[in-house]
Amino acid sequence: MDRPLLNRRLAEFGTTIFAEMSALAVRTGSINLGQGFPDADGPEEVREAAVRALRDGRGNQYPPGPGIPELRTAVTAHQERFYGHLGLSYDPDTEVLVTAGATEAIAASLLALVEPGDEVIALEPYYDSYAACIAMAGGQRVPVTLRAQPESGSYRLDLDELRDAVTDDTRLILLNTPHNPTGTVLSREELAEIARLACERNLLVITDEVYEHLVFEGEHLPLASFPGMRERTLTISSAGKTFSFTGWKVGWVTAPPELIAAVRSAKQFLTYVSAGPFQYAVAEALALPDSYFTGLRDDLRAKRDVLSAGLAGAGFQVFRPTGTYFITTDIRPLGAVLSKEGDGFAFCRALPERAGVVAIPNAVFYDHKDQGAPFVRFAFCKSVDVLEEAAGRLKALADTP
Ligand code: PMP
Ligand code: GLN
């Protein structure tokens, strides 16, 4: 057995950074601002809906492959409610597929649509499962780097770079807005340009919009609503982030029937189905009044402001997110010693012991590791007390002579 056990396609993907850092948080008893999960569960009535489904025997046996009709209908009603004014609507029977979280939706979409050798463009830094799933599908990932703009504390997509990245082998663009880990929300102009490019070059687009309800300034614009895009776009979302039940793993894809049929072919051999009773609960969650969605956003906006101020006060340069529940920081202003020479990996591995806080090094989300080296991500989906305590610990670290 001189051959490595893990196959060549997955050799570079050992353990996810989230698992590594959450284990470190448990081992050291640190505040975990690494892995993005809320420290409070979502609405009680949604939890109760899951309990009711379990007790009533709904979903305890295999649900239908595409998802229960109640959830598919709830997904389309949600699209209509929030994006109907942009002309976006879907048919619950042929244009929705329920998946095991957005993670399976991403995996199944790539496995269904990518031939070995096809190029897949993804915005770098990219969510870690993108790289692994492109590899599993035998595709070639082509990163287009979102550039940090220290002056404005934001990130910018270079549209010329994106245009130049498209070749005759490009099969699809894998987009994510609001963007994890940078908190960037692509603008109307950027999305319009991406749409133009996709149409011009006849590309498919998978757009990961799991943070659709976490936009703090402006509004979320689904890429599928742009001219020429509905027919070529697969839109992915999930209940994890919107309803604060990340452990339920209920996600969905909306797309035209041919694309849904293709993704379903891959999905049926991954999990076939999942989360039966939770699907009933998420159907009810999607019908919560508008005030739930705005309340979630307003609450997280306030938490963003608390943690941004705390991190800035501790000496980090803060890239102020306009969406998601993550803040990216540059550690270099902390100085060479404290910032471990600007090495985000070394910084994050040492931080739990030094300060009792866990964060994620953004370099894991880059092919161009040098571009991501000094950036570190903190999650703010935690109670204000926890965020203030974490900020205090970081400030104490910074103040250590
Ligand atoms: N995409 C992005 C951008 C994410 O941040 C996450 C983590 N929630 C996922 C996909 C995975 O979502 P889920 O937990 O629903 O599988
Ligand atoms: N999406 C979460 C994050 O970015 C983590 C999900 C996971 O652990 N795979 O932090």
Side-chain angles (χ1 to χ4, degrees), residues 38-105:
D39 62 357
D41 288 346
E44 189 53 34
E45 65 262 44
V46 177
R47 219 157 34 157
E48 281 303 318
V51 172
R52 238 184 305 117
L54 267 164
R55 289 223 173 95
D56 296 350
R58 286 176 296 137
N60 292 331
Q61 309 304 330
Y62 296 134
I68 60 164
E70 290 86 343
L71 177 52
R72 285 184 277 117
T73 302
V75 167
T76 57
H78 165 276
Q79 301 296 68
E80 188 78 40
R81 167 157 54 136
F82 289 100
Y83 311 119
H85 66 288
L86 301 170
L88 204 55
S89 70
Y90 288 95
D91 171 46
D93 292 329
T94 57
E95 298 188 313
V96 181
L97 178 66
V98 175
T99 55
T103 306
E104 191 197 28

Side-chain angles (χ1 to χ4, degrees), residues 16-19 22 34-37 103 127-129 180-181 210-211 241 246 249 325-326 360 365 377 379:
T16 88
I17 192 70
F18 304 116
S22 284
Q35 193 174 30
F37 62 90
T103 306
Y127 183 57
D128 67 342
S129 85
N180 177 10
V210 297
Y211 300 100
K241 306 294 159 167
T246 58
K249 297 297 283 190
Y325 45 51
F326 303 111
I360 299 286
F365 307 122
R377 188 194 85 175

Side-chain angles (χ1 to χ4, degrees), residues 309-379:
L311 290 167
F316 294 81
Q317 172 170 17
V318 172
F319 289 81
R320 192 180 162 79
T322 47
T324 77
Y325 45 51
F326 303 111
I327 295 175
T328 283
T329 59
D330 187 337
I331 57 176
R332 286 172 295 187
L334 296 173
V337 176
L338 273 180
S339 79
K340 300 266 179 196
E341 309 288 344
D343 176 346
F345 261 117
F347 181 83
C348 289
R349 291 212 164 102
L351 196 61
E353 296 287 356
R354 290 162 97 198
V357 176
V358 162
I360 299 286
N362 282 20
V364 294
F365 307 122
Y366 284 81
D367 278 314
H368 302 98
K369 301 286 179 210
D370 56 317
Q371 291 281 330
F375 301 115
V376 166
R377 188 194 85 175
F378 294 86

Side-chain angles (χ1 to χ4, degrees), residues 260-278:
I260 288 293
V263 178
R264 197 173 53 230
S265 293
K267 182 250 168 0
Q268 66 192 343
F269 299 117
L270 293 173
T271 54
Y272 178 49
V273 291
S274 58
F278 296 127

